[in-house]
Amino acid sequence: LDVQKFYDLITEAGKNPAYSSGGSPTEHYNFDCIKACVASDGQVYDMLFKKSVEKTTAAHGMMEFEQELPLNMLFTGNVSTRMVKTDVEAAGNIFLAARRCNSLADCGPSTAATATTVFNGQTTVAISSHTTDWMPSYNYNLWVLRDKLVARYYAGRVIARPPINNLLPAGTCNFDQRFDNVASTENGCGTFGNPALKPFVSKNHNWSVEWYPNRDTQFSVAVFKNDVKSGNITTAPVTGASLLAGTGATNPVTGEDVSNDIYGYTQYVNGNGFIRRGTEYAFKSAFTFLPWYFKYLGADGNYAKIESSTTVGGIRDPNSGDILPPIGEPSYYANLSFWYDDG
């Protein structure tokens, strides 16, 4: 892409009455080097890019049932399973940045960045991932009093696939001549994706009792348990790893093979598994007993108390030694809503 020519053309287009009256500047764009470009050696090279194709195939089957019981009770429910097949093909780049001193006489940790020059290179990386997940679920409802009092039980396996950017092993590595012979974090790599990431997986259970004193009101109490097998994605440092092994990466300045060098970097990893338990109290009510337009008002709310216990690993309190709950998890949550609905 000829940047100066591009700039001049756009500047001219801005002065053109045809453009200002609705004409498009795209007629002046040069798309020759968007995906691939001829370099000074006459060879064609791919431009820097990221691409991904994710194909998801899903199937779902469910069986429902209903059974009359003595004492006018009713037992209903369903059993289902969902199959999700995910195919991911993605490509990205590892960027290599070599910072060189402008003068070897002044080249050390105290050398200012303005006395150096950065040269950039890149190498392409790709992943191919194919997974199949099964997610069964169960719902059982026992109506002790028809349309008045029901006890429910739900169990299901839930999965959330990691984002493609967290899978792709792409990032930036730095080679700083000022720190060649000094123990430093300046020579190293940033945050890289992890093709081996597992999805967020949890087996959820929910027991509840719901009471409907009239057609406009509901009260419920629920006890829940989430058995998280692999937690949300976080980052962790990695040291002493041959990050670029097999890529054929070279130093952009010296041409030296750096694919087998040892680096420290940060990588996306799965959080620790944990078990979350809680109790929730909830209500919903439409104020149809009120006069005038007030009869269209209503309210609903809930309050839940939560506690978690980490099952594998985890962060310990430095004072008590207790394993702390997952980062960012509240000890409770509460919601209250008022609404108006006249249809």
Side-chain angles (χ1 to χ4, degrees):
L1 183 65
D2 188 330
V3 177
Q4 186 59 48
K5 182 179 178 182
F6 176 85
Y7 176 80
D8 292 340
L9 287 171
I10 293 302
T11 302
E12 280 302 310
K15 300 175 182 177
N16 189 331
Y19 171 71
S20 59
S21 63
S24 172
T26 56
E27 61 189 275
H28 302 293
Y29 288 2
N30 178 355
F31 295 102
D32 293 345
C33 288
I34 296 297
K35 293 185 177 180
C37 204
V38 179
S40 56
D41 61 1
Q43 301 297 314
V44 178
Y45 295 93
D46 287 335
M47 300 298 286
L48 304 183
F49 70 95
K50 284 185 179 180
K51 71 173 183 178
S52 62
V53 177
E54 184 175 60
K55 179 182 177 182
T56 301
T57 305
H60 181 242
M62 182 172 67
M63 178 186 70
E64 296 181 324
F65 62 87
E66 181 176 310
Q67 177 63 51
E68 299 278 350
L69 297 177
L71 304 178
N72 198 33
M73 293 190 295
L74 180 66
F75 185 50
T76 67
N78 60 67
V79 177
S80 69
T81 187
R82 181 180 298 275
M83 182 278 295
V84 178
K85 184 176 183 294
T86 307
D87 301 297
V88 177
E89 304 286 345
N93 293 276
I94 293 178
F95 296 95
L96 309 173
R99 184 180 292 275
R100 310 293 292 180
C101 297
N102 296 336
S103 171
L104 292 179
D106 177 23
C107 193
S110 61
T111 302
T114 54
T116 65
T117 302
V118 178
F119 300 87
N120 295 301
Q122 57 115 5
T123 184
T124 302
V125 294
I127 62 166
S128 179
S129 173
H130 309 278
T131 59
T132 301
D133 300 305
W134 292 90
M135 291 168 281
S137 67
Y138 313 90
N139 290 279
Y140 304 123
N141 314 298
L142 176 61
W143 287 93
V144 180
L145 300 175
R146 296 284 184 101
D147 301 325
K148 291 290 184 180
L149 184 65
V150 60
R152 303 184 191 272
Y153 170 68
Y154 158 79
R157 184 171 186 259
V158 296
I159 291 175
R161 301 295 312 173
I164 291 177
N165 277 348
N166 292 154
L167 297 174
L168 196 63
T172 301
C173 289
N174 298 292
F175 310 95
D176 196 326
Q177 189 181 26
R178 297 174 298 172
F179 300 91
D180 278 352
N181 300 311
V182 180
S184 170
T185 58
E186 299 296 330
N187 283 326
C189 302
T191 301
F192 279 76
N194 180 2
L197 273 180
K198 298 177 181 179
F200 175 90
V201 178
S202 177
K203 293 182 178 179
N204 297 339
H205 303 268
N206 190 87
W207 300 264
S208 66
V209 175
E210 299 172 8
W211 176 42
Y212 301 84
N214 55 60
R215 60 179 294 179
D216 302 318
T217 306
Q218 172 199 344
F219 296 99
S220 66
V221 179
V223 177
F224 59 88
K225 173 186 175 182
N226 302 333
D227 186 358
V228 178
K229 300 301 183 182
S230 60
N232 289 320
I233 296 172
T234 183
T235 56
V238 179
T239 58
S242 298
L243 175 65
L244 306 178
T247 65
T250 59
N251 186 305
V253 177
T254 64
E256 176 187 2
D257 184 351
V258 294
S259 61
N260 294 315
D261 288 4
I262 303 300
Y263 300 98
Y265 61 99
T266 303
Q267 186 177 52
Y268 294 110
V269 296
N270 288 105
N272 295 316
F274 60 92
I275 294 178
R276 174 180 293 152
R277 293 182 174 87
T279 303
E280 180 185 61
Y281 306 89
F283 78 94
K284 297 180 181 180
S285 183
F287 301 156
T288 55
F289 56 88
L290 295 177
W292 199 49
Y293 284 97
F294 296 122
K295 65 184 178 181
Y296 299 123
L297 293 172
D300 55 72
N302 58 22
Y303 169 85
K305 182 67 176 176
I306 305 170
E307 61 179 14
S308 293
S309 57
T310 304
T311 55
V312 180
I315 302 174
R316 291 185 178 273
D317 186 303
N319 296 315
S320 66
D322 295 337
I323 296 179
L324 298 175
I327 295 174
E329 180 182 84
S331 59
Y332 74 93
Y333 65 80
N335 299 280
L336 180 62
S337 301
F338 291 96
W339 44 266
Y340 177 91
D341 184 4
D342 61 2

